[in-house]
Amino acid sequence: MAVVEELYTQDGTTDYRNKPAMKNKTGTWKACPFILGNECCERLAYYGINTNLVNYLKYRLNQSNVVAVNNVTSWSGTCYVTPLIGAFLADAYLGRYWTIATFSIVYALGMTLLTLSASVKGLKPPCDEQNVCNPTGLQTAVFFIGLYLIALGTGGIKPCVSSFGADQFDDADEDERKSKSSFFNWFYFSINIGALLAASVLVWIQTNVGWGWGFGIPAAAMALAVVSFLCGTRLYRKQRPGGSPITRICQVVVAAVRKLQVEVPADKSLLYETADVESAVKGSRKLDHTEQLSFFDRACVETESDRIKGSIDPWRLCTVTQVEELKSIIRLLPILATGIIFTTVYSQMGTLFVLQGNTMDLHLGPSFQIPSASLSIFDTISVLFWVPVYDQPIVPLARRFTGHRNGFSQLQRMGIGLFISIFAMLAAGTLELMRLRAVRKHDYYNLKHIPMSIFWQVPQYFIIGCAEVFTFIGQLEFFYEQAPDAMRSLCSALALITVALGNYLSTLLVNVVTAISTRNGRKGWIPDSLNYGHLHYFFWLLAVLSVLNLGVYVLVARRYTYKKAVGVAN
């Protein structure tokens, strides 16, 4: 038996032939380069669109600042809602491998349509001699169809690819478990390699060569992402889909409501659970009982009416593991909610930071001008700097003080990132205040670019990059580790929902602020000409919201109960 355990993984993963995965032939770091390569290329494609999208909407589709900003945040938000679709299909029916492969095709179709809308005569918006474009309704429609096909395609990739990479490390093997923590760091590192190329090379091409090439190269990158992913097929470990997580959750709720009058025994060992070492949920380990949310424990109290002709009715009696799955999801929700403000702050890099940069001196040397959207390269450089610094000097040093194998717990790591993000908004607001003072002092109101270098924006980008390394990577690891084994894609999707809600909150705040600040004929906080506005008020508003959010997070995190997995997966 011991020999068999050494040969095969103990977490229920299978190989490409759906046979038990052998440790020495599958998974670990030998499978990860294909997954990391896929993620790098896919993120290059995504950020190649997202980074400079606000300028395309403003100058090619002739939209106002507020409309362009809202369209960007609405699309970005949708990109983080559609993962619920992909996650459900992955956990319930397809598995993560086939979900990624299938939705990649949809993604590629969207990229192709977007490229055609920016390069083919008839689909490309016509512009006059002053470079003012006047798109037709059809041209705008084709562009947005392509854009939202990308949003649908990314819905099958985002919630699955990080979990699929983590699946390559066996939780039952202590050495592989340690490597999993490093995997999340390097996974985020690969994301930012793609983002770096997008923010530098692609934005320059879009601005100086043309949008056809600027969208065509990301389309080619997406094709390369698919090839990279498929090349690793024989090395992958795959988790079996565990059936519909929504059905299992509903069964627990229905069973608990049916037994409102049933008393839960003081001895929790009397609660119903399968006698086998393996869980009844396919692809999942058993979960120990926890005391929180005890209302749902009624679902696993066995009564005489729970069995129909000798078999158990799952809508009347659930296992402890099934009940604990629901409890785990509920416990994650407050942590998820505290991530919304952080992603609202993060979303400013693709919208208001770009518009702020548009008003500044873009020159790098006497003749070269850097596109304002390219300043996000400093966010990426910050991430690329902090990931290895965090993985090596910071973690070993923190481990000496905390005794935690990862230096900081995942909750501590996320909290540090929330704290750091406050200073990004303070930096952005202070810069805008300095810029407006220069405008008033020298009467620069009618200048398109005031003589203040755009590189004054670097600190706010760099601080957000540092915050990402703590919060976003911490979230990736936290929601994978704390998710029930058969619901990991779903929990990854829920984590991504915070990004969607953050973008939607940004849209809401911009609309509310605009409606209030433009009363009585005033130009408002965010007018088309920011020289007449008060953009710093908006950044400071986000700083205040971030402080309040951090306080709520500390209260929630201190009350969090970690899941307790036992046994082996089915």
Side-chain angles (χ1 to χ4, degrees), residues 217-240:
I217 293 173
M222 187 59 216
L224 186 59
V226 176
V227 172
S228 174
F229 181 74
L230 295 177
C231 283
T233 298
R234 289 176 175 267
L235 295 174
Y236 295 147
R237 296 174 183 174
K238 298 186 290 183
Q239 286 281 4
R240 295 185 181 96

Side-chain angles (χ1 to χ4, degrees), residues 52-240:
N52 209 20
L53 181 58
V54 69
N55 280 331
Y56 186 87
L57 296 176
K58 181 175 181 178
Y59 296 113
R60 295 297 173 183
L61 296 188
N62 203 16
Q63 296 183 349
S64 68
N65 277 350
V66 170
V67 172
V69 167
N70 286 345
N71 273 326
V72 172
T73 51
S74 296
W75 174 73
S76 296
T78 304
C79 286
Y80 289 92
V81 169
T82 53
L84 286 174
I85 300 170
F88 175 78
L89 292 174
D91 282 341
Y93 305 112
L94 299 178
R96 286 186 266 278
Y97 174 85
W98 285 109
T99 302
I100 294 169
T102 302
F103 277 77
S104 292
I105 296 172
V106 178
Y107 198 127
L109 287 173
M111 292 295 304
T112 302
L113 192 57
L114 207 66
T115 304
L116 293 175
S117 73
S119 55
V120 174
K121 188 176 181 180
L123 296 178
K124 177 181 177 182
C127 303
D128 60 24
E129 294 178 355
Q130 283 73 40
N131 209 28
V132 175
C133 301
N134 296 286
T136 64
L138 175 63
Q139 290 166 342
T140 301
V142 169
F143 175 82
F144 277 100
I145 289 171
L147 202 60
Y148 278 87
L149 276 176
I150 293 170
L152 177 60
T154 198
I157 299 172
K158 280 182 186 292
C160 297
V161 69
S162 64
S163 296
F164 187 68
D167 288 343
Q168 308 311 309
F169 300 93
D170 187 356
D171 270 338
D173 186 305
E174 187 59 30
D175 290 335
E176 291 192 18
R177 187 179 176 86
K178 288 179 181 177
S179 296
K180 184 182 292 185
S181 182
S182 285
F183 166 77
F184 286 109
N185 288 331
W186 293 106
F187 176 80
Y188 206 75
F189 186 90
S190 68
I191 288 176
N192 282 274
I193 290 291
L196 176 67
L197 293 173
S200 55
V201 178
L202 283 179
V203 170
W204 187 88
I205 289 173
Q206 289 165 354
T207 305
N208 296 281
V209 178
W211 290 96
W213 280 101
F215 288 158
I217 293 173
M222 187 59 216
L224 186 59
V226 176
V227 172
S228 174
F229 181 74
L230 295 177
C231 283
T233 298
R234 289 176 175 267
L235 295 174
Y236 295 147
R237 296 174 183 174
K238 298 186 290 183
Q239 286 281 4
R240 295 185 181 96

